[in-house]
């Protein structure tokens, strides 16, 4: 069948559109090659989807700095081999532009090592900083300096950090300096290798605050690593004692600022961990801490608006958080969350464990009620109309979870009921945060990631490239364009 006049004109319009887009991107590439973004920030909120951002804004009553940017994009996240991505494949997509399989770090599915934007920046003579609130060898930061087929090969990743030549690593610690984990052949102590490579290793807060450009390459991590080598949850952080993500970011800007520019990746890694555990307050407060780190970059951007690019995104949503719950219908009450004073992790490690030890042999839920009221604000007596009052059906859920917690039932991952209800976490703590979150009008569908698209925002030189809808691999390519690097996949040297 011959094409109609209408079809012909549609295809001509399409061709013209394609030519226009190509001409536009070629012109953009040329313009950035002449005048690239000199200072490039990529902020990754791990597990930070649109619900996490909206919950934080509803709780704090103000817009996040990262959402005040002029350019907004929608970013899809599927991996090469799975619809729902993990942090390794997501970070590899964003660091290299390469779509890959879950678990892989800086590699294509066929195990080809792919060069990262951080490595490209270094080759251009820019300084490079990698900052994270979780261990600095965790999947997201690792995907900017390491190339391994599994994110779990921490020992090799730690050695890759030592030989990266990057200028600033900061936030959490390293997980396997000695090579003690399964599946690795020890290659010598990685912390020694880091020091031998010329890094000044700093954990003391006062010493950290005094660091200056004369100190050379730096690896700084907080003295208290709460879980798996990570910074404490922002809500558990001890003011004046722990170094915040914003302070690590501000110090990075100080140390990296130079005439050839810099690239800095900053990850808010525990938004994700809080969402895995379905603890909305911990996720919200870590999103606030992440936003405060973004604000440090904005302060720098204001001094160099024509040369600075700031991109903020999430690597995937986590927990299937949603803003609305069957039990509260159209109502929301975010003030409920103000009564929670510690994260689920702090409650598990520092409160519940102690309670179980002290009450060994005569563990009764009634004895724990005042502690739950103290840390989470849930009321077991008084006004039944108080939003914090634990209704009879909620009390039954808590008592049931308490029995399972005492029996250690969280470990029963082969029991589908237990998996759906508690996701492998302590049954009592998950039930407490679920009840509290539900009272706020928040709910969860998963203890894992979801494939819900995330939001990407940008400001500064090259920000316009980040409007529209695209897969997260495009983030790396857009940053390459803005940095004046040819946006295609490079094979890494080592
Ligand atoms: Zn995760």
């Amino acid at each position: 069948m011959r094409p109609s006049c209408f079809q012909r004109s549609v295809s001509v319009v399409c061709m013209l559109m394609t030519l226009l887009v190509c001409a536009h991107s070629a012109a953009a590439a040329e313009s950035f090659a002449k005048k690239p973004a000199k200072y490039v920030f990529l902020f990754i909120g791990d597990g930070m989807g649109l619900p996490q951002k909206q919950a934080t804004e509803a709780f704090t009553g103000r817009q996040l700095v990262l959402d005040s940017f002029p350019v907004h994009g929608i970013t899809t996240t599927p991996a090469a081999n799975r619809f729902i991505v993990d942090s390794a494949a997501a970070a590899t997509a964003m660091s290299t532009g390469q779509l890959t399989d879950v678990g892989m770090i800086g590699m294509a599915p066929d195990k080809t090592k792919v060069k990262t934007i951080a490595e490209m920046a270094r080759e251009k003579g820019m300084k490079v900083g990698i900052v994270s609130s979780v261990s600095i060898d965790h999947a997201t930061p690792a995907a900017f300096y390491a190339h391994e087929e599994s994110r779990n090969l921490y020992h090799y990743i730690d050695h890759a950090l030592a030989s990266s030549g990057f200028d600033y690593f900061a936030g959490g610690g390293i997980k396997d300096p000695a090579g003690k984990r399964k599946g690795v052949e020890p290659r010598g102590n990685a912390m020694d290798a880091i020091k031998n490579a010329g890094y000044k290793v700093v954990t003391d807060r006062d010493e950290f605050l005094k660091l200056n450009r004369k100190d050379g390459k730096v690896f700084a991590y907080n003295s208290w690593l709460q879980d798996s080598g990570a910074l404490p949850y922002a809500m558990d952080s001890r003011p004046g004692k722990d170094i915040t993500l914003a302070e690590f970011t501000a110090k990075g800007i100080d140390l990296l600022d130079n005439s050839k520019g810099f690239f800095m990746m900053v990850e808010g890694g525990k938004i994700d961990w809080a969402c895995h555990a379905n603890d909305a307050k911990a996720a919200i407060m870590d999103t606030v801490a992440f936003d405060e780190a973004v604000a440090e970059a904005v302060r720098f951007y204001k001094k160099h608006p024509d040369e600075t690019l700031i991109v903020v995104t999430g690597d995937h949503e986590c927990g299937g958080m949603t803003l609305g719950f069957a039990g509260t219908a159209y109502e929301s009450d975010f003030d409920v969350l103000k009564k929670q004073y510690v994260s689920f992790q702090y409650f598990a490690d520092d409160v519940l464990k102690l309670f179980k030890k002290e009450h060994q042999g005569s563990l009764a839920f009634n004895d724990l009620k005042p502690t739950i009221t103290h840390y989470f604000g849930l009321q077991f007596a008084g006004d039944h109309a108080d939003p914090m009052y634990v209704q009879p059906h909620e009390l039954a859920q808590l008592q049931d979870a308490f029995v399972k917690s005492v029996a250690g039932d969280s470990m029963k991952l082969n029991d589908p009921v237990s998996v759906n209800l508690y996701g492998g976490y302590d049954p009592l703590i998950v039930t407490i945060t679920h009840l509290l979150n539900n009272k706020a009008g928040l709910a969860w569908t998963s203890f894992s990631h979801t494939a819900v698209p995330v939001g990407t925002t940008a400001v500064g030189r090259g920000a316009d490239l980040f409007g529209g809808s695209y897969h997260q691999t495009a983030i790396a390519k857009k940053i390459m364009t803005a940095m004046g690097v040819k946006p295609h996949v490079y094979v890494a040297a080592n």
Side-chain angles (χ1 to χ4, degrees), residues 46-47 85-87 138 151 269 272-273 276 315-318 447-449:
D46 203 307
V85 78
D86 80 322
S87 292
H138 213 259
R151 58 186 287 172
D272 180 67
W273 295 11
H276 277 288
D315 59 348
H316 48 72
E317 198 279 335
C318 181
F447 296 96
S448 303
H449 305 163

Side-chain angles (χ1 to χ4, degrees), residues 428-475:
L428 178 65
I429 302 173
V430 170
T431 306
I432 291 171
T433 57
H434 276 178
L435 283 185
L436 194 70
N437 294 181
N438 290 166
K439 284 177 181 295
L442 269 163
W444 303 88
T445 66
S446 179
F447 296 96
S448 303
H449 305 163
T450 72
V452 175
V454 300
T456 299
T457 58
V459 67
R461 176 87 185 128
D464 285 349
L465 297 167
F466 293 85
S469 177
Y470 44 84
H471 184 264
Q472 59 191 177
T473 44
I475 288 178

Side-chain angles (χ1 to χ4, degrees), residues 121-414:
R122 182 166 180 267
E123 281 176 10
K124 270 176 65 97
M126 297 162 82
K127 291 205 172 196
V128 177
I130 303 292
V131 179
S132 176
S133 56
V134 297
S135 71
I136 204 70
D137 52 7
H138 213 259
T140 305
F144 287 81
Y145 62 83
H147 305 272
E148 294 294 341
E149 55 184 280
S150 166
R151 58 186 287 172
N152 297 322
L153 298 170
Y154 292 107
H155 184 59
Y156 299 161
I157 293 169
D158 296 341
H159 276 280
L161 186 157
S163 58
S164 67
F166 291 2
D167 303 277
Y168 181 65
F169 288 97
I174 55 172
K175 286 174 68 121
D176 194 15
K180 285 187 175 160
R181 284 174 176 250
K182 255 203 332 219
V184 294
E185 304 243 337
R187 293 180 180 171
N189 190 292
M191 196 53 96
D192 290 342
I194 290 168
K195 287 176 186 160
N196 290 338
Y199 288 89
K200 180 169 178 146
V201 179
V202 176
T203 61
D204 178 73
R205 183 184 155 84
D206 292 333
E207 203 186 332
F208 170 78
L209 293 173
K210 284 185 200 138
L211 285 171
N212 63 60
R213 274 172 239 169
K214 287 188 204 120
D215 288 308
K217 292 190 288 186
V218 167
F219 173 30
Y221 59 94
N222 194 48
S223 54
W224 176 32
L225 299 172
Q226 185 179 30
D227 47 348
S228 298
L231 297 188
Y233 282 98
M235 67 184 298
D236 299 332
S237 184
R238 303 159 304 172
K241 281 188 178 171
D242 294 308
I243 308 168
T244 65
L245 194 63
E247 287 170 330
F248 279 121
T249 305
K251 181 58 78 180
I253 294 170
D254 275 358
L255 299 182
L256 297 175
D257 191 5
N258 78 105
S259 61
K260 289 192 168 173
F262 61 75
F263 169 84
M264 178 151 49
M265 191 289 296
V266 180
E267 184 204 20
K270 293 189 88 170
I271 302 167
D272 180 67
W273 295 11
C275 291
H276 277 288
N278 292 180
D279 181 343
K281 178 70 181 282
I284 286 169
M285 297 318 288
D286 262 63
T287 305
V288 169
F290 177 66
D291 198 48
E292 285 167 356
V294 173
E296 294 294 340
V298 171
R299 260 189 275 285
F300 179 83
Y301 156 79
K302 284 182 176 160
K303 286 184 227 155
H304 311 272
D306 301 330
E307 299 174 292
T308 306
L309 169 65
I310 308 174
V311 180
V312 186
T313 191
D315 59 348
H316 48 72
E317 198 279 335
C318 181
M321 180 198 258
T322 196
L323 310 179
F325 171 62
T328 49
Y330 289 102
E331 299 306 319
S332 310
D333 183 2
F334 285 88
D335 283 349
V336 160
L337 300 176
K338 290 189 176 147
K339 310 269 167 62
Q340 181 183 341
Y341 290 107
V342 295
S343 73
F344 76 97
Q345 189 72 51
Y346 185 95
F347 190 76
D349 294 344
D350 296 72
V351 181
L352 192 59
K353 222 177 254 174
L354 194 69
F355 172 85
K356 284 181 179 174
K357 208 171 146 195
E358 282 176 352
H359 292 77
Q360 226 170 15
S362 63
L363 282 159
F365 182 66
N366 276 343
D367 294 336
L368 188 63
K369 281 178 177 173
T371 309
I372 294 175
T373 302
H374 177 74
Y375 287 106
F376 296 93
L378 293 170
Q379 298 292 338
F380 296 92
D383 182 3
H384 291 211
D386 181 337
M388 300 309 287
Y389 184 78
V390 175
Q391 303 296 336
H393 70 281
E394 296 170 332
L395 183 63
Q397 287 172 41
L398 284 171
Q399 282 169 329
D400 185 40
F402 178 79
V403 171
K404 287 175 176 159
S405 170
V406 168
D409 272 12
S410 62
M411 294 305 148
K412 283 189 182 166
L413 285 173
N414 54 354

